Amino acid sequence: MTNNEERFNSKEFKEVLGKYENARGHLDGVFFDVDDIVDIAEYYLYRNNLKEAENVTAYAATLYPHSVLVLSMQARMAMFYYNDIGKARELVKKIEAEDCEDMEYYYLRAEIMINDDKINEADKFLESKIAMLDGDDLADFFIEVPNIFIDNNLPELAQKWLERSDEKDDPDYKEIEARIAFQTANYDKAERLLKGLLENSPFSASLWKMLAATQFVGGNVADSVESCEYAIAIDPSDVEAIGNKARALSTLARFNEAMVFYERYLKQVPHDAPMRVMYAIALAGVGDNEGALKNLYMAKTDCTDRDTLSDISSQIIYVLSIIGKYDEALVFLGNSEKHGDITRTARLLSEGRIRLDMGETQKAADCFAEAFICSRNDMDTYIQTAM
């Protein structure tokens, strides 16, 4: 949220961060307040530096092994960044052992319930905490709770809770309102709200990135490129903004420009398989099929998602066919089916197309016929054989 940027750009925080970074590697005997050390960890997460955030939280745990703030931070990282719900539960038990009544603990409990798909239970649990609060604490609660729900793609519940807040002119309120509009596909409203926020916070990279994403999915791709440029001007190393600009440029078929930003992105995140695939498509778009093929093979090595592997395999086969490497394509097809990267039906359909390109009409027909039988006369397979 925008207050994160204000916090991280403050003179006080920069002094604390400088103290940590100057002492990094020899932190023995260096003291930090618990709020400061947790802020440093949150800063690194905000900058997508997960490794350094992990280092900070590990150090914080040595200073404050029983701190609810530190344990909650570790639990959230386990749950949201490492998908380790078991570790998150263990950390929650440590907090419970402290007989805790801290709001951070209650927020964490609700987030775990949401993770377990116990949405109504989480909603009721948070409802039960309202009576504990008043004044500024209650005002903060009515902003924090909708933020939890919108972070978990639950815009209806976020809206229900946000309506309880009286802080309608607060930037955090308006940002949540914009995110709700985005998640409910009301892109015009989201764009209007974000532009209003940017009038008062023109140096907020996060708001420019949100605006860019809103414009992209709303079909205003050229405007999205411009918003990405503002975010990059604020922080030239912002990988999210760089990646978003690369995708937007590709969508506009401005492949030469897109490649520059794909390369900048991949220099920082070299093992991002989906982004490398998009880079390969851009390379193919300017006729560099050999470069595209090289990057597709790299993406396949890095990829762990089965559906993405299937898409990458299809792209590799397509490029191999374009450049006339039919034998390599056939070998690749066989290996892909053997390793479970593609189905037998997909392999037969692809082989049929390759055989057609090779002028082997009868072998192609045999592949298509077998694919139709293999798919149990699936109509979609029939349509693909006819195309």
Side-chain angles (χ1 to χ4, degrees), residues 105-358:
Y105 165 64
Y106 295 133
Y107 294 145
L108 181 59
R109 280 275 306 275
E111 287 167 327
I112 289 178
M113 290 176 195
I114 293 168
N115 186 80
D116 291 340
D117 206 26
K118 296 177 180 177
I119 312 300
N120 290 333
E121 188 175 332
D123 186 32
K124 290 176 181 176
F125 174 76
L126 290 166
E127 289 272 5
S128 72
K129 305 306 169 191
I130 294 175
M132 299 171 53
L133 303 167
D134 57 22
D136 289 344
D137 290 336
L138 186 60
D140 291 343
F141 186 73
F142 287 143
I143 292 292
E144 189 61 38
V145 172
N147 201 47
I148 289 171
F149 283 118
I150 203 67
D151 279 347
N152 286 278
N153 298 310
L154 296 166
E156 292 81 10
L157 280 171
Q159 182 64 44
K160 183 191 88 167
W161 279 89
L162 190 64
E163 287 171 357
R164 295 176 169 182
S165 174
D166 294 326
E167 307 292 321
K168 292 181 171 44
D169 293 325
D170 187 279
D172 287 342
Y173 180 102
K174 291 185 178 295
E175 184 175 329
I176 295 169
E177 194 178 13
R179 293 177 67 196
I180 291 170
F182 179 88
Q183 289 189 14
T184 53
N186 192 344
Y187 303 124
D188 288 341
K189 180 180 179 181
E191 184 169 349
R192 174 173 53 79
L193 287 164
L194 290 166
K195 285 181 175 178
L197 285 166
L198 280 162
E199 287 180 7
N200 294 318
S201 301
F203 297 103
S204 170
S206 65
L207 287 176
W208 282 114
K209 287 186 289 185
M210 287 175 61
L211 179 59
T214 301
Q215 291 165 328
F216 184 85
V217 297
N220 300 324
V221 183
D223 289 343
S224 178
V225 171
E226 185 177 343
S227 295
C228 289
E229 287 169 355
Y230 280 111
I232 294 168
I234 293 165
D235 182 359
S237 64
D238 190 317
V239 290
E240 183 184 352
I242 291 167
N244 288 344
K245 184 174 180 181
R247 282 189 290 265
L249 288 168
S250 283
T251 302
L252 296 170
R254 291 161 58 179
F255 297 120
N256 283 311
E257 295 171 77
M259 286 190 299
V260 173
F261 289 92
Y262 281 126
E263 287 162 8
R264 281 177 62 177
Y265 180 95
L266 290 166
K267 187 175 181 179
Q268 293 188 66
V269 194
H271 301 294
D272 186 329
M275 189 64 81
R276 192 166 289 280
V277 170
M278 287 187 277
Y279 176 46
I281 292 170
L283 287 166
V286 296
D288 186 0
N289 290 311
E290 291 291 349
L293 190 59
K294 175 184 174 182
N295 277 276
L296 286 167
Y297 277 126
M298 290 171 69
K300 186 173 185 295
T301 300
D302 290 330
C303 186
T304 56
D305 178 73
R306 182 64 64 191
D307 290 337
T308 305
L309 267 174
S310 178
D311 292 340
I312 294 171
S313 297
S314 297
Q315 290 288 340
I316 290 172
I317 294 158
Y318 174 73
V319 174
L320 285 169
S321 298
I322 285 177
I323 59 181
K325 293 186 176 182
Y326 301 122
D327 290 339
E328 185 177 339
L330 292 171
V331 171
F332 180 83
L333 269 174
N335 289 333
S336 294
E337 182 189 0
K338 180 180 177 181
H339 296 137
D341 298 341
I342 59 173
T343 64
R344 179 165 179 76
T345 300
R347 196 271 293 169
L348 288 164
L349 286 170
S350 293
E351 183 177 344
R353 296 188 191 100
I354 292 169
R355 296 292 182 189
L356 279 177
D357 289 341
M358 296 172 71

Side-chain angles (χ1 to χ4, degrees), residues 348-383:
L348 288 164
L349 286 170
S350 293
E351 183 177 344
R353 296 188 191 100
I354 292 169
R355 296 292 182 189
L356 279 177
D357 289 341
M358 296 172 71
E360 298 178 352
T361 309
Q362 186 55 54
K363 287 184 179 180
D366 292 343
C367 285
F368 291 139
E370 189 178 347
F372 192 49
I373 294 168
C374 193
S375 69
R376 299 182 180 180
N377 302 329
D378 176 66
M379 183 55 66
D380 185 57
T381 303
Y382 178 76
I383 292 169

Side-chain angles (χ1 to χ4, degrees), residues 57-73:
T57 52
Y59 173 63
T62 66
L63 294 177
Y64 302 99
H66 305 291
S67 165
V68 174
L69 272 177
V70 175
L71 290 168
S72 296
M73 186 76 181

